[in-house]
């Protein structure tokens, strides 16, 4: 497998610094999130919140609701999560929240959006490399009506203590040039959720991914991650920086796994642009994605082609206009 000097590739920035949080600034968080019944059941049962209106349609109807009620703490954490990239992804503990108000019941199938306003920002006295920021966050439905609001406070790193990252790409075809190389900001540690849960979710019955006994006497000595999930994780870590304006996935090629991934390994990703082929109001962009473990070993390599829209073809209405894939602040 080809070797790469990934340390020289710039990292595409995600998140903001303390200096970006000027009192009065508004962040309109991108994406939005549709809350499904399966989300509600999983969250409610795993947090032992056994209120029947959250999982029993008859109980919800008897209480006067048209459907099950989404657990209000799931509403809170989803809206909170939608705000993280713009507000607190770069690190610093969540210090607390105040004035959490549930303005109406949310039901499965509704889509939530969020925005936040900086209401307070000051330097930390005990940690001068960070600041303390408080935001007022509002969660809204697809009609723009508020369903929850709250104030939350975090430590936020200052810019002076961090190197200047590469610029965030919007993901249009014009943003990619052949030869571009960059690393992605996020990484993920492989856990039993992957070796057991996700392997069995996709019905892969190779016991080497979920049976300690099967692997104990092999050269590996322990379970290893299913390569398909290593591939999915590699592409997933690269997706936001490469597919922000994707029309569709065209295909994959040259998939290679040089080093097995084990429980406890942390995987990051890097990308090289191999080709950009314009065609009408879009372009087929071909990337080489690399999955890299905490030791700097390339655990996955794949060539991926994505159909990407041009700026001229950007929809003026709908999701792309409502929530772009780059953080928005004003």
């Amino acid at each position: 497998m080809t070797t790469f000097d990934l340390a020289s590739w710039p990292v595409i920035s995600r998140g903001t610094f303390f200096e970006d949080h000027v009192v009065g600034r508004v962040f309109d968080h991108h994406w939005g999130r549709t809350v499904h019944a399966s989300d509600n059941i999983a969250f409610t049962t795993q947090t032992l919140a056994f209120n029947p209106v959250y999982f029993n349609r008859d109980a919800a109807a008897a209480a006067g609701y048209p459907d099950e009620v989404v657990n209000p703490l799931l509403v809170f954490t989803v809206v909170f999560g939608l705000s993280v990239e713009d507000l607190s992804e770069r690190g610093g503990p969540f210090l607390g929240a105040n004035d959490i108000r549930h303005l109406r019941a949310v039901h499965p199938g509704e889509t939530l959006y969020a925005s936040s306003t900086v209401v307070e920002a000051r330097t930390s006295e005990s940690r001068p490399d960070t600041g303390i920021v408080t935001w007022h966050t509002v969660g809204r439905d697809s009609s723009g009506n508020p369903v929850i609001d709250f104030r939350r406070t975090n430590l936020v790193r200052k810019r002076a203590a961090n190197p200047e990252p590469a610029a965030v790409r919007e993901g249009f075809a014009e943003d990619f040039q052949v030869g571009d190389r960059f690393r992605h900001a996020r990484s993920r540690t492989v856990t039993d959720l992957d070796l057991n849960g996700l392997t069995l979710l996709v019905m892969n019955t190779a016991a080497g991914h979920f049976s300690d006994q099967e692997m104990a006497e092999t050269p590996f000595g322990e379970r290893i991650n299913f390569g398909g999930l290593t591939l999915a994780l590699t592409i997933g870590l690269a997706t936001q920086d490469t597919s922000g304006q994707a029309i569709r996935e065209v295909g994959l090629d040259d998939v290679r796994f040089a080093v097995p991934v084990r429980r406890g390994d942390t995987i990051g990703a890097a990308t090289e642009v191999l080709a950009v082929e314009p065609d009408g109001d879009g372009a087929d962009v071909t990337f080489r994605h690399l999955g890299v473990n905490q030791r700097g070993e390339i655990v996955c390599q794949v060539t991926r082609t994505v159909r990407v829209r041009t700026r001229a073809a950007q929809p003026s209405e709908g999701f792309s206009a409502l929530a772009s894939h780059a953080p928005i602040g004003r």
Side-chain angles (χ1 to χ4, degrees):
M1 184 177 287
T2 305
T3 58
F4 300 89
D5 179 20
L6 298 183
S8 66
W9 296 18
V11 177
I12 291 184
S13 172
R14 289 291 166 191
T16 53
F17 293 105
F18 172 73
E19 292 84 353
D20 298 315
H21 297 277
V22 178
V23 172
R25 182 178 182 183
V26 177
F27 292 87
D28 295 318
H29 309 301
H30 59 179
W31 290 333
R33 169 73 152 81
T34 301
V35 181
H36 301 280
S38 56
D39 301 319
N40 196 33
I41 290 292
F43 185 90
T44 294
T45 55
Q46 292 301 305
T47 58
L48 305 180
F50 297 129
N51 182 335
V53 301
Y54 301 157
F55 51 81
N56 182 320
R57 187 167 296 165
D58 292 338
Y65 295 107
D67 201 348
E68 296 104 320
V69 175
V70 174
N71 186 325
L73 281 171
L74 176 57
V75 175
F76 169 69
T77 51
V78 165
V79 172
F80 186 115
L82 291 171
S83 76
V84 165
E85 181 178 305
D86 293 339
L87 306 185
S88 56
E89 179 169 326
R90 286 190 176 275
F94 172 33
L95 299 179
N98 293 297
D99 301 326
I100 302 172
R101 299 188 304 157
H102 300 289
L103 303 176
R104 73 160 177 85
V106 173
H107 302 286
E110 292 199 70
T111 300
L112 302 178
Y113 297 90
S115 63
S116 297
T117 302
V118 181
V119 296
E120 184 179 350
R122 62 181 176 85
T123 296
S124 169
E125 294 180 1
S126 60
R127 298 184 58 178
D129 60 334
T130 64
I132 299 174
V133 183
T134 298
W135 305 273
H136 175 232
T137 296
V138 181
R140 295 181 171 86
D141 61 22
S142 55
S143 297
N145 300 313
V147 300
I148 187 174
D149 73 340
F150 54 88
R151 294 162 65 99
R152 67 128 162 161
T153 302
N154 267 74
L155 281 179
V156 180
R157 294 178 184 174
K158 289 186 176 180
R159 179 172 280 106
N162 295 270
E164 190 65 26
V168 174
R169 297 166 183 262
E170 292 184 271
F172 291 103
E174 296 91 336
D175 294 330
F176 301 108
Q177 303 296 323
V178 173
D180 286 352
R181 294 177 166 184
F182 43 90
R183 290 177 289 153
H184 306 286
R186 300 182 182 121
S187 60
R188 183 179 179 287
T189 300
V190 175
T191 69
D192 265 341
L193 170 65
D194 307 289
L195 275 70
N196 286 335
L198 294 182
T199 297
L200 295 173
L201 175 69
V202 299
M203 300 176 68
N204 181 335
T205 57
H209 303 309
F210 52 82
S211 171
D212 288 329
Q213 181 177 348
E214 288 285 339
M215 297 298 283
E217 302 301 323
T218 71
F220 297 103
E222 61 180 322
R223 291 173 292 152
I224 60 174
N225 201 39
F226 166 36
L229 297 177
T230 300
L231 171 65
L233 180 55
T234 297
I235 293 175
L237 289 168
T239 291
Q240 191 174 348
D241 297 328
T242 58
S243 309
Q245 298 297 332
I247 299 170
R248 69 180 183 90
E249 297 283 333
V250 175
L252 305 175
D253 196 11
D254 193 28
V255 178
R256 304 181 191 179
F257 304 105
V259 177
V261 172
R262 306 169 189 269
R263 179 177 55 185
D265 281 348
T266 297
I267 308 303
T271 293
E272 179 179 13
V273 180
L274 300 182
V276 180
E277 301 177 5
D279 181 13
D281 57 4
D284 287 346
V285 182
T286 300
F287 305 100
R288 177 187 288 124
H289 298 308
L290 306 172
V292 187
N293 66 18
Q294 70 274 22
R295 295 176 293 276
E297 299 168 323
I298 294 175
V299 299
C300 176
Q301 176 176 312
V302 56
T303 299
R304 168 179 171 241
T305 301
V306 184
R307 180 73 172 172
V308 179
R309 64 173 57 88
T310 62
R311 278 189 171 79
Q314 182 181 14
S316 58
E317 298 180 355
F319 170 76
S320 293
L322 176 66
S324 80
H325 284 248
I328 300 174
R330 58 182 188 270

